[in-house]
Amino acid sequence: MVGITPPLTTNPNPAKPVVTDEAFWEEHSTFATGLPQSLSSPSLSNHANNEETYVKQYFEHFHPSFPLLHRPTFTVSLTPKLLLEAVTVIGSLFSPNLYDHGETRALAQWRQAIWQSGQEELRHMVSLNCSEIRQPWVMQAWLLYIIYGVYASEAGQFQTVKKMLRQLIDAVREIGLSQQGIAMPDAQSWMYQHDYNSPRDDSQTLYTRWMSYITTESMRLSLYTLVFLDSHTFSPCNSRPLMSPMELGWELPFPINLWEAKNSEIWLLRFNENFGLSTFTTANSLLHGPRGVGTASLTIATQQLMTETPDSELLSALEASPFAAFCVLTNMGALVRDFTRCYYQMPPSPSDPNPFHILTQAQNKQVHTAIEAITKIVKKQAYTGDNPQFLLWRTNELFISSLKISLCRPDQLLVGGIVDNSLIAGMAASTHLTQGNLVAIRRSAPLVLHHVGGDEGILALLNDLSGALSRISGEEQDKVVREAPWVTVTSYGVLLCIWGALKRASTDIRHHLNTFNELPKTSESCMLIFNTLMESALLNFSTENDRVRDPRLWTMDREAFVSLLDEGESLFVNLIKAFCQRRSVWGIGPSMLAVLGEIPGTGPE
């Protein structure tokens, strides 16, 4: 008989006095304390001397786009070894390219050795006692090992990562960690004042509440990250998720400014600003805390957004937490993929031969209602460069474009029934499939015997695609370096969609030229697509001092337009190559650059 595991509780440590901002940062500075002897030993490699720098690089470059760890209380000397190793391995990816070939190779070998030994130790520890994942640091370390193993090209351990994901999900299910009420019954205790006779929190009670919040929110963010990694990270190679979002019974993440508060006093001030009350006298004073039922879970939040009247508390929660908005967007993306997978198993309808009507009109309306609700929130945030969460909001903006694309241009690996054994292999297969029109052929071949077009859906996305292209190509290099790896993968997918649309539009234009010996009208879909996307591409490919509109765009002069038609694809491929060259941190860019070189006509210029 399996013993019942006790519920997860919040931090039982005795309260500590509140410290001032200056004293707090001095005490908790990640960079002012020495590293543990276990990490500083020369047995790991000479790179151990740089690990304090690697931790700093992690928080400067990776943390802004993925705030999984609680930076204000992250102390190097007190952080468990396995979590600290995961942080240093990822942080080392952002080291300046100042090494010779030998040093670069040595650093890669050091990363691989640390990752290999760390994930083995972590998996062994949890296999002996799966309750270990009740500790937030274990979940955080596990997730960081998965992220590195998936996206860092030198890891080469994709199958190991899939086993790690499987083991983690099994452990979460075994101990009921996915249900907040079971795993952490006192998860909302930090919202309430414990001393009802005191008109305000004293320093010790306040510190206890803050630490309770940190413990709870750390686990919440970890579980939402797990669902994201399961549903999205492996989708480029067309692996199906292992976990349903409906299994996650935790409230949406709380406002990010609470997570970033430097000390308990600032945290309390921000709590008051967000919710208007610093305390609630009983846990039942509000059924779902201060945010309403719409934030009770990821599934409920997604359902609410697809109605025409979502809760105002839900919209406020998404505006206050870009990570919560991100999780809802990725959940909707997973929902559309599920619809697509089912739709393409059904026979084509003679009355509706269009290969891109994945959802019914009613379903499309519901999804677009949710997209528009989030878009309104994102647009207010994503264009403010001084916003501390700028990268997170820009990520949401990109994922909105990707979600819209998936509604009319399904993933070709999914439609083709192709499942690859690694992220890079899946992206490479998608790149090669872009050369054809598998989506249309797979769905319409029995009905459309001759020329297959099928880019009607792209017409509705031209503004979104042009905007996405501008953002992807025009980001400043310092923001590109801090770009999360899944953002790079999604951006590459958007570029492939644009490339495919340009190829199909070019084919249709040439087909019209060969048939009628004249250019199509500029109002024809193929001309609209080609001119609009090429105009955006030319604008982003030119230098700051050379941004002059190409006169061949939108012209009906056959000779001039055909010259642009001949150059168009090559120019866009060069733009994709430039995109890859700027994204070398995780190895995704160099890998895709090599893949592009394999395609005829896209080799080195």
Side-chain angles (χ1 to χ4, degrees):
M1 178 177 178
V2 179
I4 299 176
T5 308
L8 180 64
T9 57
T10 51
N11 197 330
N13 295 332
K16 299 180 181 179
V18 176
V19 294
T20 63
D21 284 359
E22 293 77 9
F24 180 90
W25 284 109
E26 182 66 26
E27 177 185 350
H28 291 84
S29 172
T30 306
F31 324 121
T33 54
L35 286 162
Q37 289 297 319
S38 59
L39 273 182
S40 299
S41 63
S43 60
L44 288 178
S45 82
N46 293 331
H47 296 286
N49 297 327
N50 296 323
E51 283 174 340
E52 193 165 327
T53 300
Y54 297 156
V55 172
K56 182 178 181 180
Q57 289 172 173
Y58 173 95
F59 281 104
E60 287 184 354
H61 298 294
F62 185 63
H63 181 80
S65 59
F66 184 57
L68 175 66
L69 305 182
H70 191 249
R71 182 173 185 173
T73 55
F74 187 94
T75 308
V76 171
S77 59
L78 299 179
T79 300
K81 178 178 74 74
L82 292 175
L83 176 57
L84 187 57
E85 287 180 347
V87 170
T88 55
V89 164
I90 291 178
S92 70
L93 291 169
F94 300 93
S95 300
N97 296 321
L98 301 177
Y99 312 98
D100 59 24
H101 179 71
E103 289 178 326
T104 302
R105 185 175 180 181
L107 180 58
Q109 291 175 342
W110 173 81
R111 276 196 292 260
Q112 179 63 16
I114 294 295
W115 182 84
Q116 185 67 34
S117 62
Q119 62 87 15
E120 287 177 356
E121 185 176 347
L122 198 61
R123 293 175 65 195
H124 179 69
M125 179 178 71
V126 174
S127 66
L128 294 177
N129 181 10
C130 67
S131 294
E132 293 286 355
I133 65 168
R134 291 179 177 275
Q135 302 181 74
W137 77 262
V138 176
M139 285 286 292
Q140 292 167 339
W142 200 295
L143 296 169
L144 291 177
Y145 279 112
I146 287 178
I147 289 170
Y148 178 84
V150 169
Y151 292 107
S153 61
E154 68 262 32
Q157 298 289 341
F158 197 77
Q159 296 305 315
T160 300
V161 171
K162 292 176 73 173
K163 292 177 182 177
M164 289 184 69
L165 181 67
R166 172 86 269 178
Q167 183 180 353
L168 181 58
I169 290 176
D170 287 345
V172 166
R173 286 170 173 162
E174 184 171 343
I175 65 175
L177 193 57
S178 61
Q179 295 298 318
Q180 178 175 307
I182 298 174
M184 192 178 283
D186 59 344
Q188 294 185 352
S189 63
W190 56 270
M191 297 182 190
Y192 312 107
Q193 181 177 316
H194 298 291
D195 183 2
Y196 304 136
N197 296 321
S198 174
R200 61 187 298 274
D201 287 321
D202 58 36
S203 61
Q204 289 196 342
T205 302
L206 178 58
Y207 187 87
T208 301
R209 288 178 62 194
W210 185 45
M211 296 306 294
S212 175
Y213 157 78
I214 293 169
T215 301
T216 304
E217 196 69 6
S218 294
M219 184 57 68
R220 188 191 329 275
L221 293 176
S222 295
L223 288 166
Y224 271 85
T225 298
L226 172 61
V227 173
F228 158 67
L229 291 177
D230 179 44
S231 65
H232 181 80
T233 302
F234 298 91
S235 62
C237 55
N238 198 26
S239 291
R240 298 193 70 168
L242 301 176
M243 185 178 185
S244 167
M246 296 181 69
E247 295 182 52
L248 186 62
W250 282 70
E251 293 176 273
L252 290 182
F254 276 75
I256 194 167
N257 65 355
L258 291 181
W259 184 242
E260 295 180 341
K262 296 178 182 179
N263 59 42
S264 57
E265 292 177 335
I266 295 175
W267 174 81
L268 182 61
L269 288 173
R270 292 179 178 177
F271 184 92
N272 294 342
E273 291 171 358
N274 281 283
F275 304 116
L277 294 171
S278 62
T279 59
F280 300 98
T281 55
T282 66
N284 294 323
S285 60
L286 288 174
L287 182 60
H288 294 279
R291 301 191 296 170
V293 68
T295 64
S297 72
L298 180 60
T299 299
I300 292 176
T302 305
Q303 291 172 343
Q304 282 272 331
L305 284 174
M306 288 192 286
T307 67
E308 295 184 358
T309 55
D311 284 349
S312 58
E313 292 90 347
L314 171 59
L315 297 178
S316 298
L318 297 178
E319 187 171 352
S321 173
F323 185 71
F326 174 71
C327 290
V328 172
L329 279 173
T330 55
N331 187 41
M332 291 174 59
L335 179 66
V336 171
R337 284 184 67 87
D338 284 342
F339 270 114
T340 306
R341 186 175 284 109
C342 296
Y343 176 81
Y344 273 83
Q345 295 181 65
M346 302 297 291
S349 171
S351 62
D352 184 16
N354 191 303
F356 310 113
H357 291 167
I358 298 169
L359 307 182
T360 65
Q361 289 186 359
Q363 291 167 340
N364 263 315
K365 181 180 179 181
Q366 290 172 328
V367 172
H368 277 283
T369 297
I371 291 174
E372 288 305 311
I374 299 179
T375 300
K376 289 179 181 178
I377 295 172
V378 171
K379 281 188 174 180
K380 292 193 296 184
Q381 310 289 339
Y383 291 99
T384 308
D386 57 352
N387 189 320
Q389 285 77 50
F390 176 82
L391 289 172
L392 286 169
W393 287 117
R394 288 302 284 265
T395 297
N396 287 336
E397 195 172 32
L398 175 67
F399 270 67
I400 288 172
S401 298
S402 178
L403 178 56
K404 289 181 178 180
I405 290 171
S406 67
L407 287 169
C408 67
R409 289 300 306 182
D411 177 28
Q412 300 208 73
L413 265 66
L414 190 156
V415 174
I418 301 169
V419 180
D420 258 307
N421 59 2
S422 75
L423 175 79
I424 299 300
M427 294 176 68
S430 295
T431 304
H432 285 283
L433 288 173
T434 301
Q435 306 309 300
N437 197 7
L438 177 63
V439 171
I441 293 172
R442 182 86 174 197
R443 187 67 182 166
S444 300
L447 302 172
V448 184
L449 300 178
H450 302 293
H451 181 66
V452 178
D455 258 347
E456 294 87 349
I458 293 294
L459 286 173
L461 294 177
L462 284 179
N463 286 337
D464 292 283
L465 292 175
S466 296
L469 180 57
S470 297
R471 289 188 293 273
I472 292 170
S473 303
E475 288 286 16
E476 299 172 0
Q477 188 59 31
D478 67 318
K479 292 183 173 63
V480 169
V481 170
R482 293 185 292 164
E483 184 177 276
W486 44 85
V487 175
T488 301
V489 173
T490 302
S491 298
Y492 187 79
V494 172
L495 292 176
L496 287 185
C497 176
I498 296 174
W499 185 12
L502 283 171
K503 285 181 69 69
R504 292 186 295 274
S506 299
T507 300
D508 289 347
I509 293 171
R510 294 185 188 279
H511 178 76
H512 192 282
L513 274 170
N514 294 334
T515 304
F516 302 103
N517 198 31
E518 64 179 7
L519 288 171
K521 296 179 180 179
T522 54
S523 58
E524 293 285 338
S525 61
C526 56
M527 294 290 280
L528 286 171
I529 291 170
F530 183 85
N531 280 300
T532 302
L533 296 180
M534 278 307 304
E535 186 169 14
S536 181
L538 287 167
L539 182 64
N540 288 285
F541 196 70
S542 59
T543 62
E544 288 288 339
N545 299 324
D546 190 32
R547 294 199 169 183
V548 179
R549 185 176 180 274
D550 194 312
R552 296 174 295 177
L553 290 164
W554 303 101
T555 184
M556 292 303 291
D557 182 297
R558 175 170 177 164
E559 183 178 353
F561 190 85
V562 168
S563 69
L564 179 60
L565 200 63
D566 292 338
E567 298 173 14
E569 184 175 357
S570 175
L571 186 146
F572 191 79
V573 170
N574 286 335
L575 189 148
I576 299 178
K577 289 180 178 179
F579 163 87
C580 294
Q581 289 168 348
R582 297 179 67 199
R583 289 159 173 82
S584 59
V585 170
W586 291 88
I588 298 170
S591 297
M592 291 302 100
L593 203 57
V595 170
L596 289 170
E598 299 171 356
I599 298 176
T602 64
E605 297 300 317

